[in-house]
Amino acid sequence: MSLTLGPALLFCPADRPERFAGALQKADAVILDLEDAVLPAGKAAARENIIDADLDPARVIVRVNAPDSAEFGKDLEALARTPFRTVMVAKSEDPSALDVFGSEYALVALCETALGVHRAGDIAAHHRTVALMWGAEDLVASLRGMSSRFADGRYRDVARQARAQVLLAAGAHGRAAIDAVHLDIDDLDGLAAEAADAVASGFSATACIHPKQVAVIRDAYRPDPASVEWARAVLVAAEGERGVFRYEGRMIDEPVLRHARAIVSRG
């Protein structure tokens, strides 16, 4: 299995069923959240909402609670009564905890604690894992820190390292990587910059928490026409070449051609 849902993945609290259809309409995929977005008293009703949801399963991810939580088993029981089989596992830390999922499930492992980031490679290697995502706030909380960002909005070094580590672990095992949410909903310029860096670095998608963030993410992941034109032209030029060649004054080798193919695939 692979994860090819599009670049903008929108979280939606599972205790707000009236928002489900609208969220899916606005984004490339919706993440129905049974974890942090739902208070403990509302989790049972949230599970029923997911059971009753009439949504395209191919564009739905369900975030379940952490495997070591009391809610995890209940989440799995509810999932079994739905057609949804792409599951985001919150606070993934132990690859063996993913063994409970059958072959019909595709897992997005959320590495958002110090231990989860430390074990990201082993989690990515699990045969049910199709993608990794990282999370900044839970990560810093697991370190007993207070903030993942500086006052100007930039990530602190520990968050940047975790982001890179999860991306590298995903890439090493051929999994997709999903960038973390930008919590400042009104900071669209900051989101645009982070999303542009995400796609340039190799992330497949960026998660978001508000519909107005969707267009910003899509714009960042969509290459400009000039880049697409160059990529197509250099790939055509490569058909008549053997090995390294020169194109418009630039040396072209296989890594550059892979970059060009990636641009065309998103164009």
Side-chain angles (χ1 to χ4, degrees):
M1 289 183 171
S2 61
L3 188 75
T4 54
L5 294 175
L9 312 180
L10 179 59
F11 274 99
C12 184
D15 61 351
R16 300 298 300 270
E18 73 280 3
R19 296 183 180 179
F20 289 0
L24 186 57
Q25 183 179 23
K26 294 178 178 71
D28 297 304
V30 64
I31 304 169
L32 301 181
D33 190 5
L34 288 168
E35 197 219 8
D36 285 345
V38 181
L39 294 174
K43 289 188 185 291
R47 283 189 281 267
E48 291 299 319
N49 292 336
I50 288 179
I51 292 170
D52 294 337
D54 182 16
L55 302 171
D56 178 6
R59 296 175 55 217
V60 172
I61 301 170
V62 177
R63 177 161 78 165
V64 298
N65 288 273
D68 62 355
S69 71
E71 304 293 340
F72 182 68
K74 299 173 187 178
D75 291 346
L76 298 193
E77 291 175 4
L79 269 176
R81 298 169 58 192
T82 76
F84 307 128
R85 292 296 178 265
T86 304
V87 182
M88 179 178 287
V89 183
K91 298 178 178 64
S92 295
E93 295 182 335
D94 180 3
S96 67
L98 306 180
D99 292 342
V100 68
F101 291 93
S103 60
E104 70 273 25
Y105 288 98
L107 305 183
V108 178
L110 184 45
C111 301
E112 54 183 338
T113 65
L115 183 57
V117 171
H118 179 68
R119 292 179 173 172
D122 293 334
I123 294 168
H126 193 278
H127 56 288
R128 297 281 179 260
T129 302
V130 297
L132 296 185
M133 180 176 163
W134 78 290
E137 304 313 315
D138 281 298
L139 169 67
V140 172
S142 76
L143 295 168
R144 299 182 181 178
M146 297 178 292
S147 173
S148 67
R149 295 180 185 265
F150 293 107
D152 64 3
R154 292 179 298 115
Y155 276 125
R156 297 182 185 277
D157 289 346
V158 66
R160 292 183 60 83
Q161 179 174 334
R163 180 178 186 253
Q165 192 165 331
V166 170
L167 174 61
L168 289 168
H173 294 278
R175 314 307 191 197
I178 302 170
D179 204 11
V181 299
H182 194 81
L183 292 178
D184 188 344
I185 295 171
D186 294 325
D187 180 25
L188 297 182
D189 289 340
L191 171 62
E194 284 183 7
D197 178 74
V199 66
S201 299
F203 282 93
S204 299
T206 294
C208 56
I209 57 173
H210 193 279
K212 74 179 184 180
Q213 296 178 317
V214 169
V216 177
I217 293 169
R218 284 176 172 163
D219 285 346
Y221 277 79
R222 184 185 302 115
D224 62 85
S227 296
V228 175
E229 182 180 359
W230 172 86
R232 288 175 175 164
V234 77
L235 290 173
V236 170
E239 293 174 2
E241 300 287 346
R242 298 177 63 182
V244 177
F245 66 98
R246 180 173 175 170
Y247 180 78
E248 294 183 347
R250 179 180 179 183
M251 186 195 79
I252 306 297
D253 57 5
E254 182 54 31
V256 176
L257 294 176
R258 288 202 299 269
H259 295 164
R261 294 184 194 107
I263 290 171
V264 171
S265 72
R266 293 186 288 106

